[in-house]
């Protein structure tokens, strides 16, 4: 069937509305990674304090183990957040408004406008004018060469 551009733009608007219902600002904010670093640093400070406690403190081994797990998870979380932020930024660069909002409808609309302009260009006289001018130039060159060859054969050979 025919391509209904308005329906496609409306689908893109629905995607925009759905995604823009999520506040992506905090997810792509560089301070999120910094906050994770700060959290890890605080856990390392606590670890330093706990390591100094005597081993006779009840449950100290469990606390040390769990603290080590938490510190390692901060590293994993930081890496995952970095990956998430990188992916979100790429998607926002492609389909966003330059900030933290999706503008897929705008991108789809501008793509359709480019396609319409291309069809308008090719359905107009521009291509035929170009071909006519090119053929005329080639024909002139060939005609001049043929005239030169005839002149040379009649007047300069033999």
């Amino acid at each position: 069937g025919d391509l209904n551009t308005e329906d496609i733009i409306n689908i893109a608007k629905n995607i925009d509305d759905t995604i823009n219902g999520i506040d992506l600002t905090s997810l792509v904010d560089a301070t999120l990674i910094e906050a994770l670093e700060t959290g890890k640093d605080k856990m390392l400070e606590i670890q330093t304090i706990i390591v100094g406690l005597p081993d006779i403190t009840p449950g100290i081994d469990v606390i040390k183990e769990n603290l080590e797990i938490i510190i390692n998870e901060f590293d994993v979380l930081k890496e995952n957040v970095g990956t998430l932020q990188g992916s979100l930024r790429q998607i926002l660069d492609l389909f966003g408004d330059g900030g933290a909002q999706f503008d897929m409808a705008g991108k789809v609309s501008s793509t359709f406008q480019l396609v319409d302009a291309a069809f308008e260009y090719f359905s107009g006289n521009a291509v035929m004018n170009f071909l006519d001018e090119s053929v005329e130039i080639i024909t002139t060159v060939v005609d001049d060469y043929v005239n030169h060859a005839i002149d040379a054969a009649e007047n300069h050979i033999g």
Side-chain angles (χ1 to χ4, degrees), residues 3 5 110-128:
L3 181 69
T5 57
S110 64
T111 301
F112 281 135
Q113 289 170 1
L114 288 171
V115 170
D116 287 344
F119 273 104
E120 199 172 300
Y121 176 81
F122 285 113
S123 65
N125 291 331
V127 174
M128 288 309 293

Side-chain angles (χ1 to χ4, degrees), residues 10-152:
N10 285 334
I11 291 169
K13 284 179 185 174
N14 287 338
I15 292 170
D16 288 343
D17 292 343
T18 301
I19 293 175
N20 289 334
I22 303 167
D23 183 12
L24 297 177
T25 308
S26 59
L27 292 177
V28 295
D29 189 350
T31 60
L32 182 56
I33 298 270
E34 293 168 13
L36 291 171
E37 273 298 325
T38 301
K40 179 184 174 186
D41 290 345
K42 296 296 180 191
M43 290 296 122
L44 288 169
E45 287 176 28
I46 293 169
Q47 184 182 43
T48 302
I49 294 168
I50 289 178
V51 167
L53 294 176
D55 284 340
I56 57 171
T57 306
I60 194 72
D61 290 335
V62 173
I63 293 172
K64 287 179 182 178
E65 287 174 21
N66 284 325
L67 199 52
E68 190 65 35
I69 291 170
I70 291 170
I71 291 168
N72 290 334
E73 287 302 318
F74 267 106
D75 286 333
V76 171
L77 188 56
K78 183 180 158 193
E79 184 179 330
N80 289 340
V81 166
T83 301
L84 173 68
Q85 286 182 331
S87 296
L88 282 174
R89 283 191 192 102
Q90 282 183 326
I91 291 170
L92 286 168
D93 285 346
L94 289 171
F95 299 108
D97 64 355
Q101 294 287 308
F102 267 70
D103 185 25
M104 190 174 285
K107 302 295 181 189
V108 169
S109 279
S110 64
T111 301
F112 281 135
Q113 289 170 1
L114 288 171
V115 170
D116 287 344
F119 273 104
E120 199 172 300
Y121 176 81
F122 285 113
S123 65
N125 291 331
V127 174
M128 288 309 293
N129 289 343
F130 171 76
L131 291 174
D132 288 345
E133 290 170 11
S134 298
V135 168
E136 186 176 323
I137 291 169
I138 292 170
T139 303
T140 302
V141 169
V142 170
D143 285 347
D144 289 347
Y145 182 75
V146 169
N147 287 334
H148 173 71
I150 292 171
D151 179 57

